[in-house]
Amino acid sequence: MKLSLFKALGIIDCCIFKRVDVNQFEAVYAEHEWLDILLPGTRDKQFFKAPTGSPFLDDFLMQAEEFWEFADYGKIESGIWNESIADNELKLNAFATMESGDFYLIINNVKQQFQERQQTLQSARELLLSNDKIVAQQEYVHQRLDEMLNQSSDLKSIQQPITEVIEKTEVGVAILTPNLKPISQNPALYSVFDSHLTAVESEPYRIILALFEKQYPEFERVISTGSRWSGELFWLQPPGNGKWIKLAIYPVKTDFQQITHWVFIVNDISQVKHLLQNNEKLTHYDALTDIPNRQYFWMQLEQSVNNAMPFYVLYLDIKNFKRINEIHGHSRGDQIIKELVERLTPHVSPGDMFARIGGGEFAIIRQKTVTEQQCVDLGNTLIDAATQPFYLPNGTHCEIGLNIGAASFPRDADDAETLMKFADLAVFNAKKASKSSVQFYSQALKDASQRIIELESALQTAITNHEFELFLQPMLDLTSGTILKAEALLRWNRLDGERIGPDEFIPIAEQTGLIVPIGKWVISRACEMISTLNHRGHSCKLSVNLSPRQISDRHLLEFIRGSIQNSHIQPDQLELELTEGVLVDNYDKVQYLLTEVRKLGVSVSIDDFGTGYSSLSYLKKLPIDHIKIDRSFVQDLVSDENDKAIILAIIAMAHSLKLNVIAEGVETELQRNFLQLNHCNLAQGYLFSRPLPFAQFCDYLNTTVSSQKQITPSALDPK
């Protein structure tokens, strides 16, 4: 061993021993004082024997003897261990190796390197915490600008307050038109790009757009769908220095989801990145989860493409992760991310790569030859693992979902960027479903996505074009046959004559936020119908459905109150229907809303009861008047004893809580007779009537009233 070079460079803090016999070692280089702590007297005698009195070193020497006996080349490593003797503490690492037929033991003192590494990690953690503050600051600036930009359609009238906000903030801000033309860029944005702007690229927003489009395959999807986005961009400055930029993109939209402005918020995070690049592991691995990061993932993806062997990419997206951070804070969100990775990692094959490529986004490269069905099976396994509750330190728990998009190389694409673009499209489509799912890219999926984009655009003008219509499906008292109320069901008749079913357009409206203005139109129209029915001498309550997005609308209560007053109807003629999922996901908001609407006199019904969470706690705590048995139980109640038992249990439970019961999907006399015999209060279904346009519903009411006597209020009491 050529020790002179190591000594001259001063790069070793180790002791080197040559094995002269079994468990006997001669010192080749043993000049460091810390050896006196580990192996007292060795520096003077220039040799030592095992056992040494150090349990960890003795254990490693046993492994080394076996290695030297059977191996022909290479080395083995002990890993870092602590050695505490008296008041002294060492951090050591040992190697057993061989050279020219001789065997060597090398013991490194890695305390200094360990401390430097810990300092690096701590600095990284501190910078990552400051990065969270950057995210919070970006969100604050976005909210301020969003409020201002939504206050007035006339940008000139709010130009001054906007200028004051963005010029005083330390983050870079660009406000753009819907077609990405600049309106305003603050000084902090220019300082991010400082003096390196060229004459051609004289404005920062041009650089940002170019970098985003070049470095992220989701650029096209984000812009075309008007989505929020955040990520990191790398800008190579002349003559060769690099700068890292954190970018957050926020679309500002009207109630009808038409983009009025884009807000780009930018931070220079080069300091964080340069620190990470000083540590190879931190460069390629996520600091929070210790799995490969986006940079390492893309390196591996490019390599997999170059290998030209078939493989799959799975793109994993945590459902509603932003809401978790908002409710529980970023630190709790980080803990959930770490626990999720711990759950998912055991299910990923050792030959596959599992990486974190965004805040709540992960990706898997399935290197081995697998089938599409095996990818589906893996996806479903990961979804099952992710949907188990996460328990927080305060004793509460939260639940998350996982959407997965997948694409195949080379079937779907033969380059890394397009492959990820298609996987991103697949996961974006998976988000449309209410439940977690696995979606594979296909031409049909691409066509379906184009259809969704086209329908979303058409939905934005459907109200102003008077394309919506409310159909009414009556609910009858099972004792008297009298129509007591009806459910308002939305229909969409496009100007080109195409009729779009609610199963197709409601999820799009919910996903995009268009459900909020559409839902307000439904409430307003239902109140107008009640008023018309009153003038025609019919006393019939109408029930309208509320979606999760509507519950989060802080103006909903005020709008309901205003609609009732403007239509001059009694509040008890309007009813709100909510699903069980809405109750659980937005419990606090639901509790406040239902309490306030009940004060107005509006009644409340729980829709699709029995298919969701079916918790007795919310039935007891929330102000509820009716529960609706889901049609899936009614459909087979005559032939299925389990459905019979469930329905009987629901009726008994509801009546004990002084709630009325409504059965959906009644289609046969046998179903009606069973429900009537067991004291179900009301029923709706094709046996009585399909959903009807308003004029036909009025005719149906006239026919029914002429053949039935008026029901007394006592008929609604639970029996």
Side-chain angles (χ1 to χ4, degrees):
M1 287 206 165
K2 301 185 183 299
L3 299 176
S4 58
L5 178 61
F6 290 102
K7 293 178 181 178
L9 294 176
I11 60 174
I12 63 172
D13 187 8
C14 67
C15 295
I16 302 173
F17 300 91
K18 180 179 179 181
R19 178 182 178 273
V20 295
D21 201 351
V22 176
N23 291 328
Q24 295 188 30
F25 300 87
E26 178 185 0
V28 177
Y29 178 72
E31 299 181 2
H32 295 290
E33 294 180 358
W34 55 262
L35 185 62
D36 296 334
I37 302 172
L38 176 66
L39 301 171
T42 299
R43 283 204 300 161
D44 296 332
K45 299 176 183 179
Q46 293 296 300
F47 76 92
F48 75 89
K49 292 183 178 181
T52 64
S54 168
F56 198 99
L57 179 58
D58 289 339
D59 183 64
F60 177 68
L61 289 176
M62 292 175 61
Q63 298 177 42
E65 289 291 347
E66 184 176 357
F67 167 73
W68 286 321
E69 181 178 354
F70 296 105
D72 296 324
Y73 62 92
K75 66 179 180 179
I76 60 172
E77 181 181 0
S78 68
I80 297 175
W81 84 89
N82 293 329
E83 199 73 56
S84 297
I85 301 173
D87 295 331
N88 298 293
E89 182 176 353
L90 302 175
K91 287 194 179 294
L92 304 172
N93 189 22
F95 294 87
T97 185
M98 56 188 69
E99 180 182 329
S100 303
D102 293 325
F103 304 144
Y104 292 92
L105 171 70
I106 304 172
I107 305 176
N108 290 298
N109 177 16
V110 296
K111 185 174 183 179
Q112 181 177 352
Q113 295 96 314
F114 183 84
Q115 289 175 340
E116 290 175 353
R117 181 174 181 273
Q118 289 300 102
Q119 290 173 356
T120 300
L121 289 171
Q122 181 59 32
S123 298
R125 292 188 186 99
E126 291 174 356
L127 281 170
L128 289 171
L129 288 174
S130 69
N131 193 50
D132 286 342
K133 293 179 181 178
I134 290 173
V135 172
Q137 188 178 21
Q138 286 183 337
E139 187 64 29
Y140 171 75
V141 173
H142 157 246
Q143 290 175 354
R144 288 288 309 277
L145 292 176
D146 191 60
E147 291 173 0
M148 291 181 179
L149 291 168
N150 275 319
Q151 283 177 0
S152 173
S153 59
D154 181 11
L155 187 61
K156 293 182 179 179
S157 66
I158 54 172
Q159 188 73 48
Q160 184 60 34
I162 286 179
T163 301
E164 291 177 359
V165 169
I166 66 176
E167 287 193 353
K168 291 179 181 179
T169 183
E170 297 177 358
V171 300
V173 178
I175 301 175
L176 309 180
T177 64
N179 58 349
L180 301 175
K181 300 300 181 183
I183 295 174
S184 181
Q185 299 175 83
N186 71 338
L189 184 62
Y190 279 88
S191 68
V192 170
F193 297 93
D194 48 58
S195 61
H196 296 282
L197 293 175
T198 66
V200 176
E201 297 175 332
S202 58
E203 296 186 82
Y205 86 96
R206 294 181 184 273
I207 301 177
I208 296 169
L209 286 172
L211 294 176
F212 184 25
E213 183 173 11
K214 182 178 180 180
Q215 297 178 19
Y216 284 89
E218 54 261 48
F219 170 83
E220 181 180 336
R221 190 260 300 166
V222 170
I223 300 302
S224 64
T225 59
S227 302
R228 292 174 55 149
W229 184 88
S230 64
E232 298 171 357
L233 306 175
F234 181 72
W235 181 43
L236 185 62
Q237 301 172 250
N241 296 323
K243 178 169 285 193
W244 284 95
I245 298 164
K246 188 174 187 64
L247 170 66
I249 298 176
Y250 303 96
V252 181
K253 301 179 180 180
T254 65
D255 284 346
F256 294 99
Q257 300 304 295
Q258 294 175 317
I259 297 176
T260 61
H261 305 86
W262 288 95
V263 176
F264 285 16
I265 303 179
V266 173
N267 289 86
D268 184 346
I269 57 169
S270 299
Q271 184 182 7
V272 176
K273 287 296 182 179
H274 291 160
L275 174 66
L276 298 183
Q277 288 167 359
N278 289 331
N279 184 299
E280 183 178 357
K281 183 171 183 180
L282 290 177
T283 302
H284 292 143
Y285 286 81
D286 178 58
L288 177 66
T289 62
D290 208 31
I291 64 174
N293 59 15
R294 185 183 183 96
Q295 181 180 351
Y296 196 7
F297 169 79
W298 273 94
M299 291 170 55
Q300 187 61 51
L301 184 62
E302 294 279 5
Q303 183 61 49
S304 298
V305 169
N306 292 335
N307 291 339
M309 297 294 292
F311 66 92
Y312 285 92
V313 170
L314 275 63
Y315 195 142
L316 287 62
D317 182 81
I318 302 176
K319 296 181 67 174
N320 302 319
F321 185 62
K322 179 177 178 291
R323 191 178 70 180
I324 289 174
N325 279 331
E326 290 174 348
I327 296 174
H328 302 289
H330 285 279
S331 61
R332 293 286 186 265
D334 286 349
Q335 289 301 314
I336 290 174
I337 287 287
K338 290 179 66 175
E339 184 176 340
L340 176 65
V341 170
E342 291 171 0
R343 293 185 189 184
L344 301 186
T345 300
H347 301 293
V348 180
S349 300
D352 297 340
M353 169 175 268
F354 177 38
R356 187 185 184 197
I357 60 174
E361 298 171 330
F362 301 85
I364 297 174
I365 302 175
R366 299 219 67 182
Q367 299 281 15
K368 297 179 180 179
T369 303
V370 296
T371 65
E372 184 170 310
Q373 185 57 48
Q374 287 174 316
C375 285
V376 172
D377 293 341
L378 172 62
N380 289 330
T381 299
L382 299 178
I383 288 172
D384 290 341
T387 51
Q388 299 302 313
F390 289 81
Y391 291 93
L392 304 177
N394 60 6
T396 62
H397 72 276
C398 66
E399 297 178 354
I400 66 173
L402 199 64
N403 287 314
I404 302 177
S408 171
F409 172 89
R411 184 190 68 190
D412 298 327
D414 58 4
D415 66 273
E417 183 177 340
T418 306
L419 193 67
M420 281 303 291
K421 180 178 177 180
F422 288 165
D424 174 70
L425 179 62
V427 78
F428 183 70
N429 190 73
K431 292 179 184 179
K432 304 294 183 181
S434 58
K435 294 184 178 180
S436 299
S437 63
V438 182
Q439 287 276 358
F440 275 80
Y441 172 80
S442 65
Q443 186 60 43
L445 173 61
K446 186 175 182 179
D447 293 341
S449 297
Q450 291 299 321
R451 165 76 169 174
I452 289 172
I453 293 172
E454 189 267 330
L455 288 181
E456 178 183 334
S457 177
L459 273 173
Q460 294 174 356
T461 58
I463 292 179
T464 55
N465 291 340
H466 306 288
E467 297 176 28
F468 287 126
E469 183 179 6
L470 280 189
F471 279 38
L472 302 178
Q473 186 173 31
M475 303 181 205
L476 282 73
D477 179 87
L478 282 173
T479 301
S480 65
T482 302
I483 299 174
L484 296 183
K485 56 184 176 180
E487 181 177 1
L489 300 168
L490 187 62
R491 298 293 184 262
W492 184 16
N493 305 311
R494 297 186 62 177
L495 294 180
D496 59 8
E498 183 183 10
R499 294 185 176 182
I500 313 297
D503 290 345
E504 184 176 11
F505 74 80
I506 291 296
I508 299 174
E510 181 71 31
Q511 181 74 23
T512 60
L514 287 167
I515 196 67
V516 173
I518 292 173
K520 288 180 177 178
W521 180 88
V522 170
I523 294 170
S524 178
R525 178 65 182 133
C527 290
E528 291 174 2
M529 286 181 166
I530 294 172
S531 178
T532 302
L533 289 171
N534 288 342
H535 284 96
R536 295 184 182 183
H538 298 296
S539 178
C540 183
K541 177 181 293 191
L542 295 189
S543 178
V544 298
N545 294 277
L546 291 185
S547 76
R549 276 287 185 99
Q550 287 178 276
I551 297 298
S552 300
D553 178 16
R554 61 181 182 272
H555 301 300
L556 178 61
L557 178 62
E558 179 184 346
F559 185 84
I560 292 173
R561 182 185 291 111
S563 296
I564 292 172
Q565 293 173 349
N566 294 336
S567 300
H568 306 288
I569 64 173
Q570 295 301 312
D572 61 4
Q573 293 182 288
L574 181 67
E575 184 166 286
L576 304 180
E577 284 193 22
L578 302 87
T579 63
E580 293 176 278
V582 174
L583 299 182
V584 175
D585 292 340
N586 301 275
Y587 184 84
D588 291 338
K589 292 179 180 178
V590 168
Q591 186 178 40
Y592 171 78
L593 175 66
L594 298 190
T595 301
E596 294 302 312
V597 297
R598 280 288 298 275
K599 290 179 182 177
L600 293 178
V602 176
S603 58
V604 177
S605 177
I606 302 304
D607 196 14
D608 301 333
F609 186 83
T611 61
Y613 300 90
S614 303
S615 171
L616 290 177
S617 62
Y618 71 68
L619 290 181
K620 181 177 66 174
K621 295 177 182 178
L622 294 176
I624 297 169
D625 301 285
H626 316 279
I627 58 175
K628 300 181 75 172
I629 302 174
D630 186 70
R631 65 183 68 250
S632 61
F633 299 115
V634 175
Q635 184 177 2
D636 298 322
L637 70 83
V638 176
S639 58
D640 191 321
E641 293 299 324
N642 290 330
D643 284 345
K644 284 184 180 179
I646 290 172
I647 289 175
L648 292 175
I650 292 174
I651 293 173
M653 176 192 64
H655 287 173
S656 68
L657 294 172
K658 308 301 182 185
L659 302 176
N660 291 302
V661 182
I662 306 165
E664 294 183 295
V666 179
E667 298 181 357
T668 69
E669 289 290 348
L670 289 175
Q671 293 169 348
R672 171 182 178 159
N673 293 339
F674 176 86
L675 294 166
Q676 183 177 354
L677 180 65
N678 289 284
H679 309 299
C680 180
N681 302 99
L682 288 86
Q684 79 182 88
Y686 288 175
L687 177 64
F688 313 109
S689 172
R690 292 177 175 272
L692 301 171
F694 184 62
Q696 293 183 28
F697 177 77
C698 291
D699 293 340
Y700 183 84
L701 270 180
N702 292 330
T703 303
T704 304
V705 169
S706 64
S707 60
Q708 298 286 341
K709 63 181 180 179
Q710 186 67 33
I711 190 171
T712 60
S714 61
L716 268 179
D717 293 338
K719 297 183 174 70

